[in-house]
Amino acid sequence: MTQSSKTDQQPEALETFAAAARNKSRKPDDLGLTATPETEPKAADLAQEEQDAAEILNAGATGDDAKKDEAIARRARTDKRAG
């Protein structure tokens, strides 16, 4: 699989939702099917994201709120997409 160039990347869903939230809950008219600097995917450590997601889901399933909150907080600190 080859990596697509930035010119043909689609907007990342969470970034699109964030743009809509900043625009009175409406998708901005200029936000099309091609990513902009505001909506392009951000580089992240996929293995760490997967581990954090697994821990969050596991903690939620077992009712371990402290472990779930800890995993969510770690994800927020390390997520390069978070502003």
Side-chain angles (χ1 to χ4, degrees):
M1 181 188 312
T2 62
Q3 182 130 11
S4 61
S5 69
K6 286 192 177 232
T7 58
D8 64 355
Q9 284 184 326
Q10 293 184 349
E12 185 172 280
L14 291 176
E15 296 300 330
T16 301
F17 293 143
R22 291 188 294 273
N23 192 45
K24 299 180 182 176
S25 297
R26 291 185 47 96
K27 180 180 167 190
D29 292 334
D30 63 343
L31 192 59
L33 299 178
T34 304
T36 65
E38 180 182 34
T39 62
E40 70 185 4
K42 306 295 190 262
D45 181 355
L46 183 57
Q48 185 61 51
E49 282 187 31
E50 290 173 344
Q51 180 180 351
D52 290 341
E55 288 181 16
I56 292 166
L57 291 171
N58 187 10
T62 60
D64 189 342
D65 289 339
K67 187 174 180 180
K68 179 183 65 171
D69 292 343
E70 178 184 315
I72 290 171
R74 181 178 55 252
R75 183 79 236 129
R77 282 192 310 273
T78 61
D79 190 352
K80 295 176 184 177
R81 294 171 291 196

